[in-house]
Amino acid sequence: MNKDKRKITVWKNGKQVKLSMHQPSSNDYASGKKEQAATLSDMDEEPIPTYTRITINEEPEPNPFLKMLIKFKPAIVAVVSALLIGSFLGVMLLKMFVTIDDNGNASGEINEVTAINNDEKQTHATLTTSIEPLQAFVIQAGVFSTEENAKRWQATYQDIGFPTIVWEKDHQYYLLLAAAPTKNKAKELKNQAALSKMDVYVKEWETDKKELALTKEESKWLESFINTWKKSMEQQTFDNDTWASLQKTVPEGSKKFQDLSALMKQYIKIENQVDPLETGTQLLKLWHTLFVSLEAK
């Protein structure tokens, strides 16, 4: 294989030198050898130092308690704020109702206000009141299947001077004249001259037991009314003073007893009744009005 005999011209130390493509200068070769040897010698004489990498964590591990505080910070702030606001409002309200003296003793109307509020709550609170059946004997002028017919006959009796009531019971309409405590007393009323020629009958009458919600005041007044009514029925009298005292104690604002109170006022204006028939009529109307009022919603 023929070697390439081409030469190249280079400048060395300010002179042109022609070199073969494959024949390096001896001086260059020697110089390169010297530089390599010097480099190796320097490496042997000055060893390269060895470095160890050390990692330093500049952020220390946080305290667990501090982490918990940071986590629950919103809740803690909310609780503390609520306590501060509540304490402030409590002091303001206390100053409104109570006077605190130098010794730290509180005095004022707060206890009275609390007592009044408790009394009002008890007064307006409803309780279940049981009304035992009431029983008497009535004089019946007729029984009808419709209220219209009963009202027509009621007007007829009214025209001849006998006030009556229409009492609905068991889907029938009874026309009643008066009430008496016993069957014999009722027969005596029936046999009076005014009724002796009329087609009337004596009938036992009883109202059912009832349970309804009343306030404590209403329940107490109703008990007094029933006791007064029973006593008047037994004696067949209507004492105006007794009924007037009862009427004055009707619970204020009670809608259930409005009609009953109005009827009591009407009878109180009449002089004390001595006629058993008229007394029986009044007591019968009070009895009927009571149960109509209690059944109303």
Side-chain angles (χ1 to χ4, degrees):
M1 184 176 179
N2 295 327
K3 295 182 179 181
D4 190 353
K5 296 182 178 181
R6 290 179 299 173
K7 295 182 179 182
I8 60 174
T9 301
V10 299
W11 288 85
K12 183 177 181 182
N13 298 325
K15 298 181 180 181
Q16 288 186 353
V17 179
K18 292 184 179 182
L19 298 176
S20 175
M21 293 289 292
H22 297 281
Q23 292 182 357
S25 171
S26 59
N27 293 333
D28 292 341
Y29 180 77
S31 176
K33 285 289 186 177
K34 289 180 180 181
E35 292 178 358
Q36 183 178 4
T39 302
L40 292 175
S41 176
D42 293 340
M43 292 176 60
D44 293 337
E45 293 177 359
E46 297 180 4
I48 300 174
T50 302
Y51 296 95
T52 302
R53 182 174 181 177
I54 300 175
T55 302
I56 299 176
N57 189 357
E58 297 181 354
E59 296 182 359
E61 183 71 18
N63 190 310
F65 179 73
L66 183 60
K67 290 177 65 178
M68 185 178 66
L69 287 180
I70 295 174
K71 181 179 180 180
F72 293 100
K73 180 180 178 181
I76 295 173
V77 172
V79 172
V80 172
S81 300
L83 290 175
L84 292 175
I85 294 173
S87 300
F88 175 76
L89 293 177
V91 172
M92 294 299 295
L93 291 174
L94 191 63
K95 289 183 177 180
M96 290 174 62
F97 295 102
V98 179
T99 302
I100 301 177
D101 57 24
D102 295 336
N103 297 325
N105 298 321
S107 61
E109 301 179 353
I110 188 168
N111 293 331
E112 296 178 4
V113 172
T114 302
I116 292 172
N117 290 337
N118 290 336
D119 291 341
E120 289 180 353
K121 289 180 180 179
Q122 292 179 0
T123 301
H124 293 89
T126 59
L127 51 88
T128 301
T129 302
S130 297
I131 303 175
E132 297 300 323
L134 295 178
Q135 183 269 341
F137 288 85
V138 299
I139 299 176
Q140 175 182 307
V143 58
F144 306 91
S145 59
T146 64
E147 185 178 12
E148 183 181 359
N149 288 336
K151 293 287 187 181
R152 185 181 301 114
W153 278 95
Q154 184 182 32
T156 300
Y157 276 93
Q158 182 69 37
D159 291 341
I160 61 177
F162 290 100
T164 59
I165 65 166
V166 176
W167 196 323
E168 181 185 3
K169 187 177 182 181
D170 299 330
H171 305 292
Q172 290 185 310
Y173 298 89
Y174 292 85
L175 191 61
L176 306 179
L177 282 164
T182 64
K183 188 174 184 178
N184 289 333
K185 293 290 185 181
K187 286 183 178 180
E188 290 178 5
L189 295 180
K190 175 182 175 295
N191 294 329
Q192 284 187 8
L195 296 177
S196 60
K197 297 181 180 180
M198 299 180 65
D199 190 14
V200 295
Y201 307 91
V202 173
K203 179 182 178 65
E204 185 177 9
W205 196 262
E206 185 177 25
T207 51
D208 298 330
K209 180 179 179 179
K210 286 185 175 294
E211 288 188 354
L212 62 159
L214 297 175
T215 65
K216 183 179 180 180
E217 190 178 3
E218 288 175 336
S219 179
K220 184 178 180 180
W221 185 87
L222 179 60
E223 182 180 359
S224 299
F225 174 88
I226 292 175
N227 291 335
T228 303
W229 183 88
K230 286 181 177 180
K231 184 177 180 180
S232 298
M233 179 62 71
E234 290 174 0
Q235 298 176 355
Q236 288 187 287
T237 59
F238 189 93
D239 183 71
N240 283 2
D241 293 337
T242 301
W243 284 96
S245 299
L246 182 62
Q247 192 276 328
K248 291 179 181 179
T249 61
V250 174
E252 185 177 356
S254 176
K255 295 181 179 180
K256 287 186 177 295
F257 303 131
Q258 285 181 349
D259 294 341
L260 193 60
S261 177
L263 185 61
M264 291 168 65
K265 279 185 178 181
Q266 177 183 335
Y267 289 156
I268 291 168
K269 293 178 180 179
I270 304 174
E271 294 182 0
N272 288 329
Q273 295 293 335
V274 293
D275 185 352
L277 180 60
E278 292 185 7
T279 299
T281 300
Q282 291 176 344
L283 294 176
L284 176 63
K285 285 188 176 182
L286 288 170
W287 187 12
H288 177 254
T289 303
L290 170 65
F291 276 83
V292 170
S293 300
L294 295 179
E295 290 173 357
K297 295 183 179 179

